[in-house]
Amino acid sequence: MIDYHPTRRTLRARLTLAAVGACAAVAALLVSFSSSGAATPGSGTISDANPSVVWSGTVMAPNVNGCTATSTDCDLYRLTVQPSASSFMVRIKLKPAGDWDLSVFGPDGGLIGGSGNGPGQMEFVTLVNPAAGTYTVAAAPFAPAVGTDGNSYTAGADLVPLTTPSQPPAGSDPLTFQNEPAPNGLGGDAGEPSIGANWKSGNSMFQAGLQTLRVSWDDAVSPARSTWTDVSFPQTSVASLDPIGWMDQRTNRWFSSQLSGTTSLAASTDDDGSTWLPSEGGPLNGGVDHQTFGGGPYAAPLTRDPNGALYPDAVYYCSQDLVAALCARSDTGGTTFAPAVPIYTDQCGGLHGHVQVAPDGTVYVPNRNCNGAQGVAVSEDNGLTWQVRTVPGSFNGDWDPSVGIGADSTVYFGWGDGDGHPKIAVSHDHGRTWTNTRDVGLPFGIQHTAFSAVVAGDADRAAFAFLGSAEPSAGAFADNPSWPGVWHLYVAETFDGGNSWTTVDATPNDPVQRGTICGGGTLGCGNGTRNLLDFMGITVDKQGRVLVGYADGCIDSCAISGPNSFTALATIARQVNGRRLFAKFDVAAAPSAPNLSGKAAGSANILTWSAPDDHGSPITGYNVSRKAPGATSFTALATVAATATSYTDSAIAAGQAYTYHVTAVNAIGESGPSNDVTPAPAAPAPNPCVAPGIQVLSDGTGDELTNEPSRDIEWVSLAEPTSIGAGNLEFIIKVVDLSKPAVNTSWPLQFKTANGADHWVKMETDALGNVSFGYGDGTSPTSPLATTKPAAAQSAFTPDGQIKIVVPRSAFGINVGDTLTAFLIRVTVRGGAINLTPDNAPNSLAPTGQYVVKGNENCVVPQADLAVSAGDLALSGLKGSGNQQVIAVLVHNVGSATAANVKVRFSVDGTPVGADATIGQIAPAGTGRATTVWDTHGQNGTHTVTVTVDPANAIVEKDESNNAVSRAAVVQGGKVALK
């Protein structure tokens, strides 16, 4: 395996460094450049017998475009690797004068690793168990300078043996998690999310890109039901270079921040987003990347009265600059900030992690690369001065490490190590020394680790969440969507101060990502694999439950088999079972009530639930109860084993509604009943032949900037119903309301056809409100120079917000079976000095979604087919006494679609008998029964009894000719017989 450590330098840093490079280019005119493209020496071999090599390079002309394995404008070193017999890694390092970047190419010439820190900072690339062969180590002179020894950089490579750590056995606490995705178009652009738990309200706050979401939990059942609400503040939902959120759990104040240059657009709320207080956002002299908010008590001798008039906690804003990282303190509750001070310069490189404050006021900012080791910048004087402290035996990794702090200020430091494994260590002295270093990925054979997130509760309890993959091959953090690895969310928890850890797969049935999690920064992930961005969040609620906020990159069909959807859907993993992070909640009790769901499946009802919180005593079984139609109480139906979390009830009558609930049982007692469930047939799957077809984009409402509902996008879909004409496509754009479309507005949808060409369709209004529909080619649908062709006459809009643009497939050269991709809509307001775009989907402006063209000539629209025959009509004899006869008919649905609200008309000799009967619904291959009463008094003789199903032809059917049946009936006194 070769572990890919990609360049993490972002576009923002690159823009800054470009200026540095320009200055270096001018200064370099005073020295001579080397143009050989070869290091000194130019090659070397590492092996067990020769485990280290070194080389150097002289100053070269600046190169801001990077390297290949054959570049002549980079310094190249050929490194031959002779593998060890046992597990090992090769660590390649480069110490620059000025600024050099480091890239490593495999024997086949493909890029397998890179590092791009700031000027003067050490660059590292680690290869884990690389195959035998010759590798190219390329040094890129981004902004080189001449060192004191006359060289511009010194580099080396070391072969380091790897051993399996000796550590206590893994724990076996029965930890389980529920996973709750954001619904209804919320949280669709949630890369690098943040989460916080409000200990007063019980709500969770979730920062998902430009959206701030409030999540409330209904713990009447377990797993809990969640309700998501968009509570975004305008100042923090307009634009962003980086999103971050943080909850001060001592005061329950939440901060939302969007990076904006050397500060951020920020605001705070003390009531979970109902009201907001704008913030200065950070210091004016902050860094330009990767900001983080955090806070907590002041360190002695500074103190604040928790109940006083002043905000009791110090709030810190830290951010990354070109070389240094900086932190600023707020003494006004995060409203204003003092100037920032450096927390390190060249002692650490790359991006730092999230700032945390201990109960004793010590401040921690972790970093993945402090001279080749994992480290943390520590301030014990309220952010005035800082020291970098490293974890012995650790190696620099790919992603931010994380710090969680216990009630007694014990520090838990979690990271993905240089060998790809998830590791955690403990410090009781502010990071000066570390104990209990553990590899928590061993139970699952984790080979690659991303997005470490740590939280602690009591002094001896903590949780470490991470994304992990057991795939050993190279490329985990490269840009290949076809990399074979599968990523899950794992959570490890300790209850003995970090000596032992229980690790569980928190997403066992649904991966978080398939393929790579690209770490190449803004410029290094051209294949769309950077959907998850750089980190995820973790928190603990007042009851000690662990909650992990992550972006789900694998949804819908991807959960079953792939390919990866490369989405970023806001999702929370919330602890259900197992000990909490606060020991006071370790109380054995009867289980919580299960959270029940159910669905109708033809002749049976299927009930499902997840194992609820067992409150420390294992569940021994479940009791299922049912309430029959018309009944007023439940009766016991079945008892199922503890391992079963479903039950199928086949003892039902077709067309009848049954209600169910379930209780859980353990050694302590029985839970209360679950929520009641009355199963109903599932909605049909999306069908391209039936509008609205297949959805390709979604967008939360309320994020439109002009407060105009006709510009507020909800979703976009494509459909090919036969009603639009053979060979046509229908593009459907759903907005909140179109009862009065906004004037001077364009609703343009861009996409790519299978050949990679760009096209668009749009609806437009002019200054008078006149509406037109059109289509064209390219990526500038609102340009006055764009050629617009009129869409088909079937194009229209509806007051409820649907824009329907119909275009022939031939207009775009589309064939049946082609895949349309890269959908993007930017609603545009025209007529001013510049065009405004008040709403977009997706919010990230990264085109996404796909649609496979079916061709409506291939559509077979499901239709009901109601049928009756002579054998289905019967007279059931006297009803009570007298001459009242019950006429009954059995109606069949021999079609392929469910028929609902089926009317049945009975008549005798052409005259209706009673009102039309109604059958609620008849499923395909199902039947329904209808009856009426015929008074035969004085009707002696022969009559014609006729039954007509759907007499008004209100139901579209495959065959309308089999809806009626007639039979002769002979009435003689109290006797009636059908002929």
Side-chain angles (χ1 to χ4, degrees):
M1 176 184 77
I2 299 174
D3 200 6
Y4 177 40
H5 292 238
T7 300
R8 297 289 300 285
R9 179 172 287 158
T10 65
L11 175 61
R12 293 181 295 281
R14 279 289 185 191
L15 293 174
T16 305
L17 288 174
V20 175
C23 294
V26 174
L29 293 175
L30 303 177
V31 300
S32 60
F33 292 135
S34 167
S35 60
S36 65
T40 304
S43 63
T45 299
I46 55 171
S47 63
D48 287 335
N50 184 48
S52 297
V53 293
V54 295
W55 65 95
S56 60
T58 57
V59 69
M60 298 179 66
N63 168 18
V64 299
N65 298 314
C67 303
T68 68
T70 59
S71 295
T72 59
D73 51 0
C74 294
D75 227 19
L76 304 183
Y77 180 84
R78 309 297 179 182
L79 176 66
T80 299
V81 176
Q82 296 179 358
S84 295
S86 57
S87 186
F88 71 103
M89 65 181 176
V90 175
R91 284 175 53 80
I92 303 167
K93 56 195 174 187
L94 182 151
K95 177 63 177 176
D99 189 6
W100 290 72
D101 289 344
L102 178 63
S103 298
V104 180
F105 299 88
D108 62 355
L111 179 67
I112 58 172
S115 176
N117 295 324
Q121 293 180 330
M122 189 84 78
E123 309 287 355
F124 288 92
V125 170
T126 302
L127 312 180
V128 180
N129 293 324
T134 298
Y135 295 76
T136 300
V137 181
F142 190 76
V146 179
T148 56
D149 61 355
N151 292 310
S152 191
Y153 73 84
T154 301
D158 300 301
L159 189 149
V160 181
L162 295 176
T163 59
T164 301
S166 175
Q167 60 186 50
S172 58
D173 224 64
L175 304 172
T176 63
F177 289 79
Q178 67 180 106
N179 288 274
E180 294 292 310
N184 304 324
L186 297 176
D189 187 22
E192 53 190 39
S194 305
I195 188 172
N198 186 319
W199 286 9
K200 181 179 180 181
S201 68
N203 295 330
S204 301
M205 298 294 286
F206 194 111
Q207 191 66 45
L210 292 173
Q211 288 185 333
T212 304
L213 306 174
R214 179 178 63 222
V215 186
S216 59
W217 303 96
D218 177 6
D219 284 304
V221 293
S222 177
R225 290 186 287 252
S226 64
T227 301
W228 296 66
T229 306
D230 187 347
V231 294
S232 302
F233 183 59
Q235 180 171 312
T236 62
S237 58
V238 177
S240 179
L241 297 173
D242 267 331
I244 197 73
W246 171 67
M247 177 74 74
D248 186 345
Q249 291 185 315
R250 285 165 40 93
T251 64
N252 298 303
R253 173 170 290 188
W254 168 265
F255 294 83
S256 286
S257 166
Q258 305 289 351
L259 185 67
S260 179
T262 58
T263 184
S264 76
L265 303 173
S268 63
T269 175
D270 293 328
D271 52 16
D272 296 338
S274 295
T275 59
W276 290 87
L277 176 66
S279 164
E280 185 179 44
L284 296 179
N285 68 329
V288 295
D289 199 9
H290 212 60
Q291 90 281 22
T292 171
F293 265 79
Y298 288 87
L302 300 182
T303 59
R304 283 273 177 94
D305 181 357
N307 300 310
L310 298 177
Y311 191 79
D313 287 351
V315 176
Y316 293 89
Y317 177 98
C318 302
S319 53
Q320 186 74 45
D321 211 10
L322 174 59
V323 177
L326 306 105
C327 286
R329 192 182 81 211
S330 170
D331 296 325
T332 59
T335 302
T336 60
F337 288 84
V341 300
I343 63 174
Y344 57 76
T345 52
D346 60 354
Q347 302 100 312
C348 301
L351 302 179
H352 57 69
H354 299 314
V355 60
Q356 302 289 342
V357 179
D360 65 6
T362 305
V363 190
Y364 299 88
V365 180
N367 188 284
R368 66 185 176 91
N369 183 6
C370 295
N371 289 317
Q374 301 285 329
V376 59
V378 182
S379 175
E380 299 177 71
D381 57 5
N382 299 294
L384 297 179
T385 62
W386 297 78
Q387 291 182 321
V388 173
R389 295 164 183 167
T390 57
V391 180
S394 67
F395 296 98
N396 64 289
D398 295 287
W399 305 96
D400 301 345
S402 179
V403 168
I405 305 172
D408 68 345
S409 296
T410 295
V411 175
Y412 295 85
F413 184 100
W415 75 96
D417 206 33
D419 60 5
H421 294 201
K423 297 180 181 179
I424 193 161
V426 183
S427 177
H428 299 282
D429 56 6
H430 302 153
R432 291 179 174 85
T433 62
W434 297 89
T435 63
N436 291 345
T437 299
R438 302 289 185 256
D439 182 341
V440 299
L442 290 179
F444 293 91
I446 301 302
Q447 302 299 314
H448 301 284
T449 302
F451 301 173
S452 299
V454 182
V455 70
D458 290 342
D460 58 352
R461 298 192 176 197
F464 175 19
F466 56 91
L467 301 185
S469 176
E471 169 59 41
S473 65
F477 307 124
D479 192 26
N480 180 7
S482 300
W483 184 72
V486 177
W487 300 86
H488 286 256
L489 171 65
Y490 296 89
V491 180
E493 296 191 29
T494 183
F495 306 98
D496 59 7
N499 182 53
S500 63
W501 294 79
T502 297
T503 304
V504 298
D505 184 347
T507 56
N509 303 312
D510 185 355
V512 175
Q513 182 101 325
R514 296 180 187 272
T516 57
I517 300 176
C518 187
T522 307
L523 301 178
C525 303
N527 289 325
T529 57
R530 190 168 155 71
N531 53 311
L532 304 184
L533 300 182
D534 287 334
F535 57 82
M536 64 184 183
I538 192 169
T539 190
V540 59
D541 70 11
K542 190 175 183 179
Q543 288 74 40
R545 298 183 190 89
V546 174
L547 293 90
V548 182
Y550 66 97
D552 192 349
C554 177
I555 64 174
D556 300 331
S557 62
C558 170
I560 306 301
S561 61
N564 198 62
S565 56
F566 289 105
T567 48
L569 178 62
T571 308
I572 297 176
R574 186 177 191 249
Q575 185 176 350
V576 176
N577 277 296
R579 283 182 285 177
R580 310 281 180 83
L581 295 190
F582 300 127
K584 67 180 180 181
F585 293 100
D586 294 347
V587 179
S592 296
N595 188 348
L596 181 64
S597 61
K599 65 179 181 180
S603 60
N605 289 331
I606 300 176
L607 308 176
T608 58
W609 60 93
S610 296
D613 187 350
D614 62 15
H615 291 298
S617 178
I619 291 172
T620 56
Y622 299 94
N623 294 324
V624 182
S625 299
R626 183 179 77 177
K627 183 168 65 175
T632 59
S633 60
F634 287 86
T635 58
L637 179 62
T639 296
V640 298
T643 55
T645 53
S646 65
Y647 179 77
T648 300
D649 181 13
S650 301
I652 63 173
Q656 300 294 311
Y658 296 82
T659 302
Y660 303 84
H661 66 221
V662 175
T663 59
V665 180
N666 66 8
I668 309 299
E670 184 175 11
S671 74
S674 70
N675 52 302
D676 293 348
V677 166
T678 304
N687 184 347
C689 298
V690 179
I694 307 298
Q695 192 173 114
V696 296
L697 293 175
S698 64
D699 186 51
T701 59
D703 59 346
E704 194 274 335
L705 301 181
T706 63
N707 198 31
E708 169 52 60
S710 67
R711 297 172 179 150
D712 196 350
I713 304 165
E714 292 186 8
W715 48 259
V716 175
S717 68
L718 276 76
E720 301 176 75
T722 57
S723 60
I724 65 173
N728 287 340
L729 275 172
E730 184 173 50
F731 299 82
I732 303 175
I733 301 168
K734 177 66 173 69
V735 296
V736 170
D737 182 77
L738 277 171
S739 57
K740 187 178 180 181
V743 300
N744 281 335
T745 300
S746 180
W747 292 261
L749 174 66
Q750 301 176 42
F751 62 95
K752 288 182 181 291
T753 46
N755 62 358
D758 294 296
H759 306 280
W760 48 263
V761 298
K762 66 180 178 180
M763 182 179 89
E764 278 191 339
T765 57
D766 62 18
L768 299 177
N770 298 309
V771 178
S772 61
F773 302 88
Y775 66 93
D777 304 322
T779 58
S780 302
T782 60
S783 169
L785 301 179
T787 300
T788 301
K789 302 171 187 177
Q794 299 95 316
S795 302
F797 71 90
T798 59
D800 66 353
Q802 290 196 36
I803 299 170
K804 301 179 180 181
I805 307 168
V806 178
V807 180
R809 296 197 308 261
S810 59
F812 301 125
I814 296 172
N815 299 310
V816 172
D818 284 357
T819 299
L820 310 184
T821 59
F823 292 90
L824 171 66
I825 180 169
R826 304 193 71 186
V827 177
T828 304
V829 181
R830 297 171 291 111
I834 59 172
N835 289 343
L836 301 177
T837 54
D839 201 11
N840 312 296
N843 288 330
S844 66
L845 302 183
T848 188
Q850 65 178 26
Y851 176 81
V852 179
V853 178
K854 181 178 181 66
N856 53 12
E857 60 268 34
N858 300 313
C859 286
V860 178
V861 179
Q863 291 183 322
D865 190 357
L866 302 172
V868 290
S869 62
D872 298 319
L873 180 60
L875 291 174
S876 62
L878 292 175
K879 178 184 179 185
S881 58
N883 298 299
Q884 291 184 322
Q885 294 286 331
V886 176
I887 308 174
V889 66
L890 188 67
V891 181
H892 300 261
N893 183 357
V894 296
S896 56
T898 297
N901 296 317
V902 180
K903 300 292 185 182
V904 180
R905 180 170 297 166
F906 298 87
S907 60
V908 175
D909 300 329
T911 302
V913 178
D916 291 350
T918 301
I919 302 174
Q921 65 178 24
I922 309 175
T927 59
R929 187 172 183 268
T931 62
T932 193
V933 177
W934 175 28
D935 186 353
T936 61
H937 180 73
Q939 300 291 322
N940 287 346
T942 300
H943 302 274
T944 299
V945 177
T946 302
V947 175
T948 305
V949 181
D950 188 27
N953 288 329
I955 299 172
V956 178
E957 299 183 56
K958 182 179 180 181
D959 183 0
E960 300 281 1
S961 67
N962 53 0
N963 286 17
V965 63
S966 297
R967 292 185 67 179
V970 178
V971 178
Q972 185 62 48
K975 297 181 179 181
V976 180
L978 288 172
K979 298 296 186 180

